Amino acid sequence: QVHVVESGGGLVQPGGSLRLSCVASGSILMINAMGWYRQAPGKQRELVADIMAGGRTNYGDSVKGRFTISRDNAKNTVYLQMDSLKPEDAAVYYCYTETAGYGTYRYWGQGTQVTVSS
C-alpha cells in the first residue's frame, strides 16, 4: 500500500555529480524518515544517508562531505545530491520510506543503478 520509486541513476565519470530522486505514494499517514542505502555486487547493503521528520540528517562515513540529502515534505520526495563521485560509489541505490501506522514500517524502492567509470 506504500509505493517507493527511485530515479536519476546513470553513468557518471569520476569526479562528476548526479542527483537521485525518490517519491513515496500510497496509504501514508506519517513519515518518520526517508533515506538511501546502496549495494554493490558481492557486498553488503550500507547506509548512504537518511533524514528524519524534523530535518536531522545522518550520513555514512564514506560519503560525508560529498553527498547531500534533502527532502520535500509536500511531495513526499527525498533527494540525494552526489558530488565528487568515486568508482567506489558505484552501486544500486535503494530508497526507503519509514512510516508510522500500527507501529512503524520501512518500505523500499526497487533501486536505481549508479555507475562511476571513465
Side-chain angles (χ1 to χ4, degrees):
Q1 59 184 12
V2 177
H3 193 204
V4 180
V5 179
E6 307 97 331
S7 63
L11 175 63
V12 187
Q13 293 186 345
S17 297
L18 201 63
R19 187 182 188 228
L20 306 183
S21 300
C22 173
V23 180
S25 62
S27 301
I28 301 172
L29 297 179
M30 297 183 67
I31 297 179
N32 293 331
M34 301 183 74
W36 298 88
Y37 282 70
R38 68 187 183 187
Q39 187 169 24
K43 297 183 179 179
Q44 296 293 309
R45 186 174 297 192
E46 65 175 349
L47 172 70
V48 178
D50 51 27
I51 183 166
M52 307 300 119
R56 185 174 68 256
T57 58
N58 183 53
Y59 294 92
D61 290 338
S62 64
V63 306
K64 286 183 177 180
R66 299 188 298 118
F67 291 10
T68 303
I69 189 169
S70 61
R71 183 173 176 175
D72 186 335
N73 292 326
K75 297 180 179 179
N76 290 333
T77 300
V78 64
Y79 305 95
L80 184 68
Q81 177 66 43
M82 303 184 293
D83 298 319
S84 301
L85 282 161
K86 304 175 181 179
E88 66 191 73
D89 296 317
V92 177
Y93 283 69
Y94 297 92
C95 175
Y96 81 82
T97 298
E98 186 176 286
T99 63
Y102 212 106
T104 62
Y105 197 81
R106 186 170 289 188
Y107 298 90
W108 294 91
Q110 292 293 98
T112 185
Q113 177 71 53
V114 173
T115 303
V116 185
S117 176
S118 300

